[in-house]
Amino acid sequence: MAGQVPACPQHMSLEELRTAVVEGERTAAVAATRSALGEGVPARSILDDALVPAMATVGDLFKRRQYYVPEMLMAARAMKACMEVLRPELVAAKVEPLARVLGATVQGDLHDIGKNLVLMMLEGAGFEIVDLGVDCTPERVVTAVREHGARLICLSALLTTTMPAMRETIAALEAAGVRGQVAVLVGGAPLTQAYADEIGADGYAPDAASAVDKAKEVLARLTA
Ligand code: B1M
């Protein structure tokens, strides 16, 4: 149309990608990721200019109670599917993640929906995730910290009976002499800030969206 500046195709596909992720449209999101790569958009730009802002939008919508867990899960799954396409390109381009994060549901606890959501939101924010799964013993967390050189551990508990395993995990990190090199973030329905303080965690987040902000905050304190 006369007088109209044509939209840059690269910006168009990133815009489509952001929308598809926010709306949890996995197939459309993966197609937009492939098309952006095909147009020569660098993987780094797809991550920084589409996936990370899309997940930030999802986090905001959740905090404002316009999104609930199902919408957030769908968006996170769309983002994860795009990351599968992007990961080899990011590795090839030597793109450094913000930090390596270990995630685990503590010993005795099999609930993993909340933990998975937290880890997906963190991945969407640019962190590298090592998921240790459920029923994770303190010893396994210590071994994984040594093995992966993680800077942040995210511990989740859904049962009042498994909350003490968080304290035991922190004690095991101290006994192993690695507590100083990692920040510990805790969360889960029965948790409170007061309990996090009592067991010596570095931070507590009530939901997956605020876990991203808290993760950045505790990591900044660790490096300060
Ligand atoms: Co279980 N269960 N469950 N359960 N279960 C609860 C937790 C319970 C509250 C149900 C009830 O009685 N009303 C109750 C706990 C009571 C208590 O401890 N006070 C309970 C019980 C008792 C049990 C069993 C003991 C039942 C039995 O066998 N008699 C048993 C225990 C098994 C075990 O773990 N050893 C059990 C088993 C199960 C299933 C396996 C059947 C299944 C889990 C499937 C799975 O996770 N793969 C299950 C489920 C689904 C639930 C409910 C219904 C839903 C939990 C959930 O996924 N919520 C739950 C009742 C309820 O919550 N309405 C219940 C959705 C999820 C997105 O929320 O995990 O809270 P949530 O995560 C949130 C936040 O908490 C936060 O962010 C997330 C999203 O914003 N968050 C973090 C979570 N981790 C975080 C970490 C962070 C930061 C934020 O930083 C690191």
Side-chain angles (χ1 to χ4, degrees):
M1 211 184 295
Q4 230 177 25
V5 181
C8 165
Q10 293 197 349
H11 289 152
M12 269 173 61
S13 52
L14 292 186
E15 185 58 46
E16 276 166 26
L17 176 54
R18 275 194 293 269
T19 306
V21 171
V22 171
E23 292 177 357
E25 299 285 351
R26 183 171 17 187
T27 310
V30 168
T33 303
R34 292 217 166 95
S35 123
L37 283 173
E39 285 159 13
V41 183
R44 175 72 198 233
S45 169
I46 297 175
L47 180 66
D48 290 348
D49 302 327
L51 294 183
V52 171
M55 291 312 286
T57 302
V58 170
D60 283 346
L61 289 166
F62 182 78
K63 283 182 198 157
R64 285 191 270 123
R65 294 176 189 273
Q66 289 176 21
Y67 264 21
Y68 293 93
V69 167
E71 290 90 348
M72 192 150 73
L73 266 178
M74 283 172 71
R77 283 180 186 152
M79 179 277 301
K80 231 175 143 54
C82 297
M83 283 302 291
E84 297 305 318
V85 177
L86 270 194
R87 195 163 288 123
E89 307 289 334
L90 291 168
V91 171
K94 296 190 167 61
V95 173
E96 291 292 326
L98 287 181
R100 190 171 292 159
V101 176
L102 293 184
T105 301
V106 294
Q107 185 168 23
D109 203 320
L110 301 177
H111 296 85
D112 67 355
I113 299 169
K115 182 261 300 168
N116 293 345
L117 201 45
V118 167
L119 297 184
M120 287 195 272
M121 291 299 285
L122 286 171
E123 186 173 20
F127 289 91
E128 182 187 339
I129 306 300
V130 179
D131 186 353
L132 302 179
V134 296
D135 191 17
C136 194
T137 61
E139 297 70 33
R140 224 175 125 227
V141 174
V142 169
T143 306
V145 168
R146 291 200 172 115
E147 194 182 326
H148 298 284
R151 307 268 322 289
L152 175 68
I153 305 173
C154 287
L155 296 178
S156 180
L158 259 288
L159 299 171
T160 43
T161 50
T162 57
M163 287 164 61
M166 291 184 155
R167 190 197 292 274
E168 287 154 23
T169 304
I170 293 173
L173 292 167
E174 263 156 21
V178 294
R179 178 69 182 95
Q181 68 196 53
V182 283
V184 180
L185 185 62
V186 294
L191 270 280
T192 59
Q193 181 65 56
Y195 188 74
D197 294 342
E198 189 192 315
I199 63 173
D202 298 290
Y204 157 76
D207 56 60
S210 33
V212 172
D213 302 333
K214 203 41 116 175
K216 289 180 180 163
E217 186 191 312
V218 295
L219 277 171
R221 266 194 267 138
L222 185 73
T223 45

